[in-house]
Amino acid sequence: MMKRLASTERISSSAADDLLVSQRKVRPMSPHLTIYKKQLTFNMSGAHRILGIAMSGTIYCGLIAYAVLPLVGYPFTITDVAAYWSAAPEAIKTAAKLICAFPFTFHMFNGFRHLLWDTGKGLSLKGVYTTGYIVLGLMTLASFGMVFGN
C-alpha cells in the first residue's frame, strides 16, 4: 500500500496569491533571448515564419482587392494589372520581381529542408548548418534565375 508523503491544506485565495508571489521572489529567472548569439538556425526559423505570414498576407490582400475593387468602381483585372506593369520602369519591375522571388524560394527550399528533417536526416549540428547554407545558396541561385533568366 502506497502512502502519500505530501500533505495539503486549504488556504484562501489571497493566501495562495501571497504564497505564489513569495515563491516567485526566490525562483531563478530565465535568461532572455538577447543574451544568446544569433545563430543560423535561429535566423532561418524566424525568417521562415515571418516570410510565410507575409506571403500569405500579400496573397489575401490581392484576392480581397480583386473581389472588392470592382464593386466600388475601380477596375482590377489581369488586363489592368498587365497594362500598369508594362508601363513601369525596368528597375521597378526588377526590384518587384526580386522582392517576390527571394521570400518564395527561401520558403520553398527551407520547407524542403524541414521535410528532410521529418525523415530524421540532417539533424546533426553539421547537417543542420550544411542544409541551412544549401538553402541560402539555392534560394539565391533560384531567385536570380527567376528574375534574370530568359
Side-chain angles (χ1 to χ4, degrees):
M1 187 97 190
M2 296 195 54
K3 291 187 178 184
R4 185 174 177 177
L5 300 176
S7 64
T8 60
E9 62 181 79
R10 291 200 176 270
I11 59 174
S12 68
S13 179
S14 63
D17 289 339
D18 292 340
L19 178 62
L20 183 61
V21 168
S22 67
Q23 289 174 344
R24 285 182 178 162
K25 288 180 181 176
V26 295
R27 214 181 272 165
M29 283 186 57
S30 287
H32 194 268
L33 289 176
T34 57
I35 70 163
Y36 295 108
K37 178 184 172 192
K38 300 285 191 290
Q39 297 180 351
L40 181 69
T41 52
F42 174 88
N43 291 327
M44 290 185 71
S45 175
H48 187 80
R49 294 165 196 243
I50 291 167
L51 293 175
I53 291 168
M55 287 188 305
S56 61
T58 302
I59 290 170
Y60 280 121
C61 288
L63 291 173
I64 290 169
Y66 185 74
V68 172
L69 287 179
L71 298 175
V72 294
Y74 293 102
F76 190 74
T77 64
I78 283 296
T79 308
D80 298 322
V81 173
Y84 173 77
W85 280 107
S86 65
E90 197 62 37
I92 298 293
K93 291 180 197 177
T94 303
K97 289 178 187 177
L98 283 171
I99 288 170
C100 293
F102 274 114
F104 175 76
T105 56
F106 172 77
H107 198 75
M108 180 184 67
F109 289 123
N110 205 41
F112 290 151
R113 178 181 181 218
H114 280 270
L115 288 174
L116 176 71
W117 287 351
D118 289 343
T119 66
K121 293 182 171 56
L123 291 174
S124 67
L125 187 60
K126 182 180 179 188
V128 167
Y129 274 87
T130 301
T131 57
Y133 288 121
I134 290 171
V135 164
L136 294 175
L138 288 174
M139 171 202 70
T140 304
L141 291 173
S143 295
F144 282 114
M146 291 170 74
V147 173
F148 298 111
N150 290 327

